[in-house]
Structure formats: C-alpha cells, structure tokens
Amino acid sequence: TLVAKMHQELQVKVPLRDVFHYPTVEQLAQSIAGMERQAYTFIPAAGEREYYPASSAQKRLYMLSHVQGGETSYNMPGVMKVEGPLDRHRLEDAFRKLIARHETLRTGFEMVDGEVVQRIYEDVEFVLEHVRAAAGEADAHIGRFVRPFDPAQAPLLRAGLIELEPERHILMYDMHHLISDGVSTGIIVQELAQLYEGEELPPLRIQYKDYAVWQQQEAQSERYQRRESYWLEALAGELPVLDLPIAYPRPPVRSFEGALLDFAVEPAVAASLHRLAADTGSTMYMVLMAAYTVLLSKYSGQEDLIVGTPVAGRLSAELEPLIGMFVGTLAIRNYPRKDRTFYEYLLEVKERTLQAFEHQDYPFEELVEKLKVKRDASRNPLFDTMFIVRNMETQEAKLDELSFTPYGQEHTTAKFDLTLSMSAEEGEIRGSFEYCTKLFGKSVIERLTSDFLTILSEIGTNPALTLGEISVSGNAKPSADVLDSIDFVF
C-alpha cells in the first residue's frame, strides 16, 4: 500500500525491499531523491460493453464454487451486533445506495463461448430480510441465512436483520467471494455506516470491471513476463506435497467441513518475537511464517515446503476504495533445513517473502496452468496449507447513536486442509487453526497448537538454535505407535 501511494504521489517506483533497507522516513526520502521519475499510469475506464471479462481470480472462484460440496464454501458471511435506535428502512436505503455505487454489487457471472464473463446490471432487486426473535433463537436464524448463490443472479449479496429488542439488533450479510474480499468487507461496513448517516460519498473514478479489462491487457506486457519467469523458477522441479501424518484417510474428493481452534501467545513470548523481528529487519509476518514452516517440517519430516498466503492485490492506490475480488494467492516455497539456525533461516524466509511479494501481481490461476499441476480432486493445487496475518480488515463502525461490532459465530467451512491465521496488534499475538474435520481430530489440532507455541517460545528465547534442536512433543515426524495412541473422533 505504501509503495503504491508513493508511486502515485511522488512518481517514483520504489522497490518493496527498499522499505526494509531504509526503514526510517529520512533514509527512505534520501533514497527516493536519487531515483529516476517513473510516471504513475492510471487504470483506464473500459468502454461500454454487453459483458466484460472476469478477472483471473474470479474465473478460478467461479469454477471452484461449482465443485460438489463447495456450494457455500466461497460465501463470505458476516454478522454484527447493532446497539441503538436502528431505523430499518434507512438501513435498507443505505444498502441500495451502496449497490448503486459499486458495480460489483450489480454483477452476475455466466459462460460465453467457453469463457467466464461478468455482466453488470443497471438495476437489481434488493430487500433487507427482517425477523423478530428472542436472543436464544438468533443462532438458528443465522445458520439458515447462509445458503448458495446463483452466480448469474445479481446481486450476489443478501442482508437480513434480526430484531431482538427495539434497540438491539443483529445484522447479517452474505456475499459471494466472486464480488468481494476481506478488505472489501471493511469498505462495506464503513460506507454502509456513512450512507446510513446521510453522507455524500465521493464518486468512484473506476469500477472493478475496468480493473478486469486492464488485467487482461497487462498479460501481454514485458513486466508480466518477468513476473511469470520468477514464479516458474521458484517452483521449478518436483513440487513437494505436504505429508502430515496426523490425518484421517484423505477422502477421494476434498471436504469443506471445518472447525476452528483459537489460541494466544504469552505476552513475554510475544515481546521476544517483536524483538527478533526488529533485530532482523523483518516483519511479524516473516517471523511467524518461519516458525510455522518449522512446525510443518517437524510434523512432516520434509525440508521443502510450499505454503499459500493471501495478498490484498490492490497494487494501485486507485483500487483501494473499490469493492471487489482483488485478493491474490502466493505459493511461497521455503527450505527449513535442520542445520540452519533459526536466525539464519528467518533471514532466508525474509528474502523469499520479499521476492514473492515483489512479484505478487502474477495471477495464481495462470501459475497453476503454466506449471501443468496434476489435478487431484482430494487436494488444492500447489499447497494444502495456508498462512494468514490479518492486519487490514476493519469491520467495526461507530455512529452518533449506533454501534456496529462483530458477532461471534460458529465456524463450519475449511477451504484448505489447515489454515493458520495470526494477528499482532498492540503487542498481543493471537492465532487460530482452521482445519478440515474430515482429516483432523480436535486432539491432533490441540497438540499441533501446543507445539507451535513451544516453537515460538524457543525461537524467541534463543534464535541461535538450529532447526534440528528445536523440540516439539513428538520431536520429529510421529511414528505409527504415536499415531495409534491418539484418540481420533469422527
């Protein structure tokens, strides 16, 4: 985000790694002063068409959402508590204004000549669902609210209101991932609050369709070819398949049934990890990614691992206010070899992370095609585990008389075998493992979590330990007798 803003405002293309090499404002300013000016190119508005190309991410999501069992796996539901004198009709009107403002909320998807395309409608029908219920009945209503979308039928957004008391409501909304992402969710909550208050929002210069057309044109550029070359080299040779020996027999077709296990890092350990990040010029993302790959290596016995990670994908400053599916996926490959100290390994992870993020604007979907990855209905292509640091999504809003805050809800889907999500705010480090319940029992994930916390404690205390010296409960890939002793519960 910083690099994109500097390019737009200062007309210089600052390499991402320079932000790390020159970590103060003064150093970065001196570096920029010596750079050659490079004009910022605005994304042009696309001409009027009957329909528009889908972006690379949308094409893949369209196909995935048609996989059996995945009908609601790419829904993006949200639930918020609303405290205060809410005017239901004003809220419905705010939703309609939001839909009028963002074309993605008036977009449907269909196949034309074998290609996924997006069709934008001038008007769509929207009604805010409403029900009165007792507090004890709310969860049942929330559970029924999430249901499949027909991608061709806009809007791919629905919203509902549960009235518990005159000044206590639960706001439910659900969108298809085809039209939204995590950053978009924050935009929706903020703009909905502003529109409810009667604010006039500044007009949007471009819309998502303009980005999709531009992305298609970019695929012919020399810059695009350089990005492609980087990824094909990074993922050359035989690709590792994560072999976690803690799973049930893998179903022939991937299951989306999931559960969540939350945990927190002790404050003293969190403080030591922040110091380690500072000492190595790393981010907390890099420290935690390094620790996670060590954990995976301990459990799998592998020293060549690919972990997926999402990126916001808004590499142009003018994309920031748009609702849409921008988030990209990076397949980051690391080599947690036993003879490396954690300090050395972290510096390697830092370098590979910077390289991956510098080349992030190459579509993951294209990479899968180029690598000719063998399709396996029981797995995701390239990786089966995801690592996420949540640091961009603000989903709270405070109005003069109303407050919107997230409402905790049960988690039921898992897009990957295992996903580790972390957040590091105000010195606290928290995390959660999202796991496929067809593969893992809760006791296994509890053990995995305990071992991850042990690794964080050990590297925070002594980053000079070699990866081979870092201990977990099994101390290595668990043997068959260890597996026999674990209580698996279906």
Side-chain angles (χ1 to χ4, degrees):
T1 303
L2 174 62
V3 166
K5 283 185 181 293
M6 287 192 292
H7 190 195
Q8 185 180 33
E9 296 294 330
L10 306 175
Q11 304 299 305
V12 288
K13 195 99 185 247
V14 180
L16 179 63
R17 64 186 56 245
D18 280 11
V19 177
F20 292 84
H21 288 162
Y22 309 110
T24 69
V25 173
E26 181 182 17
Q27 289 171 331
L28 196 55
Q30 287 171 349
S31 172
I32 289 169
M35 286 183 185
E36 190 178 323
R37 292 291 177 268
Q38 195 170 339
Y40 178 85
T41 306
F42 287 90
I43 295 172
E48 199 72 28
R49 305 185 190 181
E50 184 183 350
Y51 50 81
Y52 300 86
S55 68
S56 294
Q58 286 177 327
K59 289 176 188 175
R60 177 165 166 73
L61 278 173
Y62 183 87
M63 299 305 179
L64 285 172
S65 63
H66 285 77
V67 173
Q68 185 178 1
E71 294 85 355
T72 60
S73 295
Y74 291 91
N75 284 35
M76 295 186 65
V79 185
M80 306 199 80
K81 291 184 290 187
V82 187
E83 304 279 347
L86 179 68
D87 184 327
R88 174 163 51 101
H89 301 292
R90 261 175 73 188
L91 182 62
E92 186 172 63
D93 188 52
F95 266 109
R96 288 189 175 133
K97 286 177 178 173
L98 189 73
I99 291 167
R101 173 174 166 77
H102 292 274
E103 287 180 354
T104 38
L105 303 181
R106 293 180 277 115
T107 298
F109 297 83
E110 55 196 79
M111 298 291 290
V112 174
D113 297 329
E115 287 291 324
V116 183
V117 300
Q118 47 181 327
R119 191 183 297 273
I120 299 161
Y121 296 88
E122 197 64 38
D123 296 297
V124 293
E125 190 176 321
F126 175 82
V127 176
L128 180 66
E129 300 173 22
H130 175 250
V131 65
R132 290 187 177 88
E137 302 167 336
D139 286 346
H141 285 287
I142 292 168
R144 287 193 293 269
F145 185 74
V146 178
R147 51 194 188 272
F149 284 102
D150 176 357
Q153 296 296 316
L156 298 182
L157 161 75
R158 65 175 69 97
L161 202 61
I162 303 173
E163 185 178 338
L164 303 175
E165 296 173 13
E167 295 197 4
R168 279 184 65 225
H169 294 79
I170 293 175
L171 172 63
M172 307 172 290
Y173 58 88
D174 192 11
M175 298 170 287
H176 200 292
H177 214 336
L178 280 163
I179 63 161
S180 186
D181 59 15
V183 176
S184 297
T185 304
I187 294 169
I188 287 170
V189 171
Q190 292 299 317
E191 290 197 354
L192 197 62
Q194 291 171 290
L195 291 167
Y196 180 87
E197 291 284 85
E199 287 185 39
E200 285 289 325
L201 300 179
L204 298 170
R205 191 188 72 78
I206 57 170
Q207 295 277 351
Y208 188 86
K209 70 169 189 303
D210 306 312
Y211 161 76
V213 171
W214 172 79
Q215 186 193 55
Q216 190 179 62
Q217 292 165 350
E218 273 286 288
Q220 311 306 317
S221 71
E222 183 185 332
R223 192 171 67 96
Y224 185 91
Q225 300 306 320
R226 288 198 302 271
R227 301 282 188 262
E228 182 177 284
S229 297
Y230 164 78
W231 285 108
L232 293 180
E233 186 178 330
L235 296 172
E238 186 178 348
L239 297 175
V241 176
L242 184 62
D243 179 24
L244 293 179
I246 54 173
Y248 301 135
R250 183 177 291 277
V253 176
R254 192 154 54 95
S255 168
F256 294 91
E257 294 176 31
L260 205 62
L261 184 69
D262 295 320
F263 62 90
V265 177
E266 289 183 7
V269 175
S272 69
L273 296 176
H274 280 289
R275 284 195 299 272
L276 180 57
D279 289 346
T280 53
S282 304
T283 62
M284 187 52 63
Y285 171 96
M286 297 166 184
V287 173
L288 295 171
M289 168 66 101
Y292 185 43
T293 52
V294 170
L295 176 74
L296 295 174
S297 179
K298 293 288 181 183
Y299 270 76
S300 67
Q302 295 167 276
E303 295 185 342
D304 179 2
L305 299 166
I306 299 175
V307 175
T309 199
V311 284
R314 296 171 188 248
L315 296 177
S316 171
E318 57 193 322
L319 299 177
E320 285 182 27
L322 299 186
I323 293 170
M325 175 50 186
F326 293 99
V327 70
T329 304
L330 305 183
I332 302 184
R333 193 173 192 173
N334 281 299
Y335 302 89
R337 298 191 175 102
K338 293 181 180 64
D339 60 344
R340 295 277 194 280
T341 67
F342 185 81
Y343 192 95
E344 292 168 338
Y345 178 59
L346 174 54
L347 294 177
E348 292 176 12
V349 170
K350 174 186 173 181
E351 180 59 28
R352 289 197 193 94
T353 301
L354 284 172
Q355 289 177 355
F357 275 67
E358 284 172 342
H359 295 86
Q360 67 175 276
D361 50 340
Y362 183 76
F364 177 75
E365 300 72 30
E366 299 294 325
L367 179 60
V368 172
E369 293 298 322
K370 289 284 181 183
L371 289 170
K372 296 182 170 55
V373 177
K374 187 180 176 183
R375 298 292 178 173
D376 181 345
S378 71
R379 292 182 178 274
N380 282 279
L382 291 186
F383 55 82
D384 289 306
T385 185
M386 197 81 162
F387 174 66
I388 303 169
V389 171
R390 301 192 182 279
N391 60 357
M392 299 185 71
E393 300 158 28
T394 304
Q395 296 178 15
E396 296 191 10
K398 184 78 176 164
L399 309 184
D400 287 342
E401 297 181 308
L402 297 176
S403 69
F404 292 75
T405 54
Y407 176 92
Q409 58 194 118
E410 284 295 311
H411 190 87
T412 55
T413 63
K415 298 181 182 68
F416 299 90
D417 291 2
L418 194 63
T419 298
L420 173 60
S421 298
M422 302 293 296
S423 65
E425 295 173 3
E426 299 173 0
E428 284 191 338
I429 299 178
R430 295 183 173 277
S432 65
F433 277 106
E434 175 190 274
Y435 59 99
C436 174
T437 51
K438 287 290 187 187
L439 296 175
F440 302 98
K442 187 179 179 183
S443 60
V444 172
I445 302 301
E446 286 173 341
R447 176 167 160 257
L448 194 77
T449 303
S450 174
D451 283 335
F452 183 57
L453 291 171
T454 298
I455 289 171
L456 294 179
S457 177
E458 289 196 14
I459 63 173
T461 304
N462 184 9
L465 281 172
T466 64
L467 303 192
E469 291 172 326
I470 295 172
S471 61
V472 295
S473 58
N475 206 29
K477 182 172 180 175
S479 58
D481 58 329
V482 173
L483 289 176
D484 290 341
S485 71
I486 297 172
D487 234 355
F488 292 113
V489 182
F490 285 94

